[in-house]
Amino acid sequence: MLRMTSKTPARSHAVRTLHRAASALPLMAATLLSSALFPTWTHAAPRVEDSIAQRALACVGCHGPQTRATQEGYYPRIAGKPAGYLYHQLLNFREGRRHYTLMSRLVDPLSDAYLLELATYFSQLELPYPPHAAVPPSAAAQRGEALVMKGDPKRQIPACVQCHGASMTGVAPDIPGLLGLPRDYLNAQLGAWRTGNRRAQSPDCMAHIARQLTLQEVSDLSAWLSSQPVPSASHPASNLPEPLPTPCGGVTLGARP
């Protein structure tokens, strides 16, 4: 009988097979361990609500929860503002009449129809204003109150209430309210109109009015307006008792000739 040695073909083949199997053991063990520790789960993609409310959540990062404004004193409340006003401001950012890089980039690719849909959504949010902290009266606030209520006819400065409503909560569909806004925001916007960094459709009535104001008067106006509580009936008025004192671009209400 022929004895097999390590040098015979059959013996060599068996040895090579055993070596290959032994060398594969670490890889097999690692694969089994990985499968045990990190199982592969198959999940369906999460369903995301496709609604204007869901898409509008992108705005709360700056404008605060439910777009009621933040405590930083700059970003304004947009919840409940008149739809026409919000729509025109979005257009102004997109078309370069208002300058804030983040807003401009956000709205630049959006269509008129989509901007109007956003504006309408925000205008329909009925959310209460936070409690108002009483502010001691000051000389600056008293001067601001006189401008708000009476204006300065000698310099062709109309009273704020002639356009923004007797309760200063705005007038639908295009005129915003002036209450509930931070003082820093009011100062910044009036200053931007004075310098031309904020514009509106022609005729730009607010730019003309702001340029008639001194820096002290801008500060006085902001001091008084920001110190006033928002009335419980904070909805924009449906109309003005009299025509606007001056034509305003983007405002569909009538104006004096």
Side-chain angles (χ1 to χ4, degrees):
M1 180 182 292
L2 180 64
R3 295 180 59 191
M4 286 185 146
T5 66
S6 60
K7 294 184 179 180
T8 64
R11 176 74 173 179
S12 298
H13 177 73
V15 170
R16 287 196 299 271
T17 301
L18 287 173
H19 284 172
R20 284 197 296 269
S23 63
L25 284 175
L27 178 61
M28 293 172 61
T31 302
L32 290 171
L33 180 62
S34 176
S35 299
L37 294 178
F38 307 104
T40 301
W41 301 100
T42 301
H43 289 291
R47 294 179 63 85
V48 177
E49 177 188 347
D50 183 17
S51 67
I52 192 65
Q54 179 68 26
R55 295 192 289 273
L57 290 177
C59 304
V60 305
C62 293
H63 291 278
Q66 299 177 304
T67 62
R68 298 190 194 197
T70 63
Q71 299 300 316
E72 282 74 15
Y74 186 76
Y75 296 106
R77 174 188 176 109
I78 54 179
K81 293 290 180 67
Y85 170 75
L86 293 174
Y87 174 61
H88 285 122
Q89 300 319 301
L90 292 170
L91 289 178
N92 290 344
F93 278 117
R94 194 187 67 187
E95 296 169 6
R97 288 183 289 269
R98 293 190 67 174
H99 303 282
Y100 186 59
T101 302
L102 179 58
M103 279 296 302
S104 299
R105 288 180 176 175
L106 282 173
V107 301
D108 181 65
L110 304 180
S111 67
D112 290 3
Y114 190 75
L115 295 181
L116 180 59
E117 186 180 3
L118 274 173
T120 303
Y121 166 75
F122 286 122
S123 72
Q124 294 172 347
L125 296 179
E126 297 188 8
L127 304 168
Y129 282 78
H132 180 76
V135 178
S138 66
Q142 290 174 356
R143 293 192 299 267
E145 181 181 11
L147 284 169
V148 170
M149 296 298 182
K150 300 177 182 178
D152 188 343
K154 293 181 180 179
R155 291 188 290 160
Q156 297 182 336
I157 299 176
C160 300
V161 294
Q162 288 182 264
C163 297
H164 294 272
S167 61
M168 289 171 294
T169 57
V171 183
D174 300 313
I175 301 177
L178 298 179
L179 302 184
L181 293 169
R183 184 176 183 179
D184 287 348
Y185 178 79
L186 291 166
N187 271 326
Q189 300 313 305
L190 288 169
W193 262 307
R194 291 181 82 252
T195 61
N197 285 328
R198 175 173 178 173
R199 294 176 289 118
Q201 292 93 328
S202 181
D204 194 344
C205 57
M206 274 305 305
H208 172 75
I209 292 169
R211 290 179 186 132
Q212 311 309 310
L213 299 171
T214 67
L215 290 176
Q216 183 61 57
E217 287 172 331
V218 168
S219 180
D220 294 344
L221 278 168
S222 302
W224 189 79
L225 288 169
S226 62
S227 70
Q228 301 307 297
V230 180
S232 55
S234 60
H235 292 88
S238 58
N239 54 64
L240 285 170
E242 296 185 10
L244 293 174
T246 183
C248 286
V251 177
T252 56
L253 296 169
R256 297 182 191 278

